[in-house]
Amino acid sequence: MRTIRKQTGHFLEDFRPGHVYRHKGGKTVTEGLFTTFTEFAMTANPLAKNARYARAYGFQGLLCPPGLVMLICFSQTVEDISENARANLEYIDMRFGAPLYVGDTIEVETKILGVKSSASRPNLGVVHVQSTARKNVGSQGEAIVLTWQRKVQVYKRDENAELHPGDVSPDPVACELVLPPYDRARDYKSLAHLSSPDSYFEDFEPDTRIEHSRGRTMTSEHIHLTAVLDNTSQVHCNQFMIDQDPAQYVGGQLIIFGGIPFVLCLGLSSPDVGDNALGDIVYPTGRHTAPLFAGDTVFAATEITGKRDYPGRPDLGVLETRLLGHKFERAENAKSDDAPPGWKKTRIFELERQIAVKRRSHYT
Amino acid sequence: MRTIRKQTGHFLEDFRPGHVYRHKGGKTVTEGLFTTFTEFAMTANPLAKNARYARAYGFQGLLCPPGLVMLICFSQTVEDISENARANLEYIDMRFGAPLYVGDTIEVETKILGVKSSASRPNLGVVHVQSTARKNVGSQGEAIVLTWQRKVQVYKRDENAELHPGDVSPDPVACELVLPPYDRARDYKSLAHLSSPDSYFEDFEPDTRIEHSRGRTMTSEHIHLTAVLDNTSQVHCNQFMIDQDPAQYVGGQLIIFGGIPFVLCLGLSSPDVGDNALGDIVYPTGRHTAPLFAGDTVFAATEITGKRDYPGRPDLGVLETRLLGHKFERAENAKSDDAPPGWKKTRIFELERQIAVKRRSHYT
Amino acid sequence: MRTIRKQTGHFLEDFRPGHVYRHKGGKTVTEGLFTTFTEFAMTANPLAKNARYARAYGFQGLLCPPGLVMLICFSQTVEDISENARANLEYIDMRFGAPLYVGDTIEVETKILGVKSSASRPNLGVVHVQSTARKNVGSQGEAIVLTWQRKVQVYKRDENAELHPGDVSPDPVACELVLPPYDRARDYKSLAHLSSPDSYFEDFEPDTRIEHSRGRTMTSEHIHLTAVLDNTSQVHCNQFMIDQDPAQYVGGQLIIFGGIPFVLCLGLSSPDVGDNALGDIVYPTGRHTAPLFAGDTVFAATEITGKRDYPGRPDLGVLETRLLGHKFERAENAKSDDAPPGWKKTRIFELERQIAVKRRSHYT
């Protein structure tokens, strides 16, 4: 009997600048997916929890929060782009478009923008990609839900294989946040008790850092969550692979899929920053600065970096922020202002984030 | 950059007798939420599992079992009332009203009935509250789904803060179990094989104690489950907080949210006691008598304390019971009649429980 | 107070050849159940992920993949047949019928075909059963979704009880795979990028063994998953029972419900073998050859054993395969060709499997 060892996903030498992958699968948003991922991260925005509220704001029903949109769309690209990756290096220009609802089906494609070898590690290199997620909207065709670039460190299948290095330009992608119009006839005021009283646009001041109060301990649940998202990267779910050669892998153990701390930080910040947002507009850049493992507790902070008007929407403002995630690690003799004795604080995530926030003047 | 440390939830000194909180968020029951919480606890009543059966009984579709109703409604009150609690002390007069279905949206409000300081622990006190959960029923307005009181031990933000002690009366709340009428034209008999043959009203005798056969081991899944319920209390999900000062927290580890053993006990008892119930009527009182931790196995027993007619419904009877939960703990040299050698049995939960149970005479 | 110790499930001495159990409960497929179990196992077939694709193929919507059909139907039989079992020995002639969708309700019945005592272990014996799962299809009556036989090793309640040994014949059950017709008017080609390019009928050669690339580590999530399926067998979820007498139980620890590795192997194989299948036809035989525990990583391989035409469907072929599951265990000084040094490979599962696979000629 002949044996074939199947490989899934691509390796560094497979990528060619300019090539476009139309990803397999696609994903229909069910109420199961919605519930699991909206709430595991303590998301507080009532648009994602309370259908009465969401409809009163002009949405079709419960709105997928930005973290869920990101998880679903991003995960569709994993098999082709990062199943054989070591780490995700950077998110770039992640822009939100049409709202995503239960029942919608997402399909995604990715263009290879760049391929680069690694000077220090001959079995690794960096791939730079641009991905766009669309949903079907019945007979009306399709709508862009999310577009983004990312850089990812990918293994070579064969250390001696030749690469296809180079760079091409990203495509212009028409993707802008779609929001229901403000409607004076609606009784927004009667819903005001359902969101935070102190997270309206007027409440924020640039040069403020908000330490969000909650922490959330991650468990081995991450393996299940990652599978449910169709994220097939083996560094998140294949303990035997790690056990054979721990030194080859970040931390020598299963690393939690970066989308998880990404969404946890969004969720932990939401009572203070996202509760009165109608949508996230764009994440100009973001990165994971340390790995997250089962047992770690995630905390988040938000720096307010700027405020501006939202063009054409006097009821909204644009809040410019930096979302920061951190965890604490045991460190004997450690002494610092931002951790208790015997612990050190480790930054795990940072994200530039622009949010469309309601003005108190129009909604209360 | 100015830093703000956000606090979520209230502390003992924030509560004033008579004040009413209209809780944020609200919660729409999705099929994801329904499935996760109906079945993790081994609920056996076909009304919550089999839509054909539920419709044949006159319900709109799958019926949220009483444990799920309790989890959803109760959790909506956590941020305001018990995010900064040490322990939940007592459930009082929990009454069920309209049936809860997938698609319904729950919103909850809570009145502060009493505030009391603790004689022995200056950083703690007790808050007594009355909460009511309503669902929207389209153009017909809203319906009460659950109302209850509870007493909860809450931390002070500042040990020296002045309290607002005192008591006010609970509001009268019109909340009675709503059931579809008995209809002779329906063919209940043809569905009788789908529920237990020996749990009809006629089968129970007062002064009987039923030891339910199944056990269910809880895992760290509780952290995820608690987040999905919007229960934000940090003692359930913030391991770092516990690690900094274990002595301050019950058991020195993450404690499982009391709603979990509450619902587990209901589920474990359901093949014997709840399988032929049309609904739970009222829980006059209940309490957690020991904490539950990941790794513990939960068992349940039911004492039948009384039986009476259900006013206006000859097809039903009211079963008065005490639901008891327990676990076993290793205890060297322990010897007792109700645990194997080397173990002791620990009561974790008790609940007075009145149930509307079908009579065999009318349904088989 | 009188005490009753309830027992759920039957014991070896309760079974009589020829007796038919109509199982309690029944199960409506919700979107929660669908999502949890379709994707925890990394299922890749777009019929189960992408509603646009499934509808374009003539299905009503997202199609429950064969693994989920098996899990739901099989679990309905556990309380009556195997709640008090030690191990499931063999699956026989498992045949698929009508497609299963979200919203459908499954009800199951089981005929006892044989009862046999164990020569070597007086507290155990083997029960042979035939089960059939039906779904309600509105006013049109019902449709068979799955039928199968299995042999299961069951404990006696009382070691000295008399058995009812013997054998009866299985019933003929009309259960054949129901598929939407091939329709030239449909634009299948435009969907071809959503499934694997190399898993069409033409791509397979008999006498080939395909080693699937992915592994999936199981965690204690199995306890929760098993409960959500209504599988009440205590060896999967009652750690205290195991702790009292570990030698009595397989592996001396909680064993993972066999349906889990069954479905994991189907999922791990799906990118290579199941991605372009329209359905699974029959599993003539299958068995678990070693137990699976939390912490184990599951791998799968498929042997192509035969190919033949699908009667009346020139667009399809029947692929005859053997699906194999394995894990690796630490074994000092072990040396073999199929495991790294210090490890041995353990077969955990094998399943004869016939699949209806699309021909490239008709779909691309």
Side-chain angles (χ1 to χ4, degrees), chain C residues 340-359:
Chain C
W343 297 82
K344 66 172 179 161
K345 185 174 174 175
T346 301
R347 168 82 54 86
I348 58 168
F349 181 63
E350 49 194 41
L351 183 75
E352 307 286 325
R353 179 186 184 204
Q354 299 185 9
I355 324 173
V357 179
K358 297 185 287 182
R359 290 180 194 264

Side-chain angles (χ1 to χ4, degrees), chain B residues 115-189:
Chain B
V115 175
K116 214 169 72 175
S117 62
S118 162
S120 60
R121 301 191 64 170
N123 64 336
L124 279 169
V126 174
V127 182
H128 178 189
V129 301
Q130 178 187 37
S131 300
T132 300
R134 291 172 173 82
K135 71 171 188 178
N136 297 102
V137 285
S139 52
Q140 298 135 276
E142 51 186 26
I144 293 179
V145 167
L146 191 74
T147 186
W148 70 99
Q149 296 176 36
R150 66 167 165 142
K151 291 184 177 173
V152 56
Q153 195 180 30
V154 178
Y155 287 105
K156 292 171 79 169
R157 184 187 290 107
D158 167 6
E159 217 171 288
N160 302 312
E162 265 195 66
L163 299 189
H164 308 273
D167 289 285
V168 303
S169 299
D171 290 333
V173 176
C175 180
E176 263 189 71
L177 186 60
V178 177
L179 292 176
Y182 181 80
D183 178 352
R184 269 168 208 289
R186 291 182 190 272
D187 184 11
Y188 298 108
K189 217 171 277 191

Side-chain angles (χ1 to χ4, degrees), chain A residues 2 8 28 30-31 224 230, chain C residues 31 35 49 51 209 213 221:
Chain A
R2 191 169 60 106
T8 34
T28 299
T30 65
E31 291 197 355
H224 187 98
D230 302 333
Chain C
E31 291 197 354
T35 296
K49 306 173 82 78
R209 178 186 169 95
S213 68
E221 73 191 281

Side-chain angles (χ1 to χ4, degrees), chain C residues 43 53 92 114 122 125 132 145 191 216 218 223 231 238 241 251 263 266 286 295 317 321 326 355:
Chain C
T43 302
Y53 179 99
I92 303 162
T132 300
V145 167
L191 301 162
R216 166 75 155 86
M218 276 303 297
I223 299 176
N231 181 324
N238 185 337
M241 181 185 77
V263 171
L266 287 171
T321 72
H326 59 270
I355 324 173

Side-chain angles (χ1 to χ4, degrees), chain B residues 235-257:
Chain B
V235 294
H236 308 314
C237 69
N238 185 337
Q239 184 65 53
F240 174 68
M241 182 185 78
I242 306 282
D243 288 345
Q244 288 176 268
D245 186 5
Q248 186 62 241
Y249 301 98
V250 178
Q253 54 182 301
L254 291 180
I255 187 175
I256 295 180
F257 163 43

Side-chain angles (χ1 to χ4, degrees), chain B residues 31-32 34-36 39-44 46 49-53 55 62 190-191 193-199 205 207-221 225 271-272 275 295 297 299 303-305 328 330 337 339-340 343, chain C residues 1-9 22-34 36-37 76 78-79 83 102-108 136 142 220-221 223-234 236-241 243-244 254:
Chain B
E31 291 198 354
F34 184 90
T35 296
T36 302
E39 291 166 346
F40 92 102
M42 299 182 155
T43 302
K49 307 172 81 77
N50 182 327
R52 177 175 92 92
Y53 179 100
R55 282 193 209 102
L62 288 175
S190 73
L191 301 163
H193 65 285
L194 293 169
S195 61
S196 295
D198 57 356
S199 62
E205 273 182 54
D207 281 314
T208 316
R209 177 185 169 97
I210 302 167
E211 297 281 352
H212 307 297
S213 69
R214 292 172 185 152
R216 165 76 154 85
T217 302
M218 277 304 297
T219 70
S220 61
E221 73 193 280
L225 291 172
D272 304 326
D275 212 24
T297 302
F299 295 88
E303 293 175 359
I304 309 301
T305 54
F328 293 92
R330 302 251 184 208
D337 288 349
W343 296 83
Chain C
M1 188 168 288
R2 192 170 59 105
T3 293
I4 300 172
R5 290 194 184 277
K6 277 276 182 170
Q7 286 184 322
T8 34
R22 299 177 74 193
H23 302 299
K24 289 190 290 177
K27 187 97 162 179
T28 299
V29 184
T30 65
E31 291 197 354
L33 194 66
F34 185 91
T36 303
F37 287 96
Q76 289 296 308
V78 167
E79 179 175 329
E83 174 147 347
V102 169
D104 286 342
T105 297
I106 286 288
E107 295 172 13
V108 185
N136 296 102
E142 51 186 27
S220 62
E221 73 191 281
I223 299 176
H224 187 98
L225 291 172
T226 301
V228 172
L229 286 167
D230 302 335
N231 181 324
T232 51
S233 177
Q234 293 289 291
H236 308 315
C237 68
N238 185 337
Q239 183 67 51
F240 174 68
M241 181 185 77
D243 287 345
Q244 287 177 268
L254 291 180

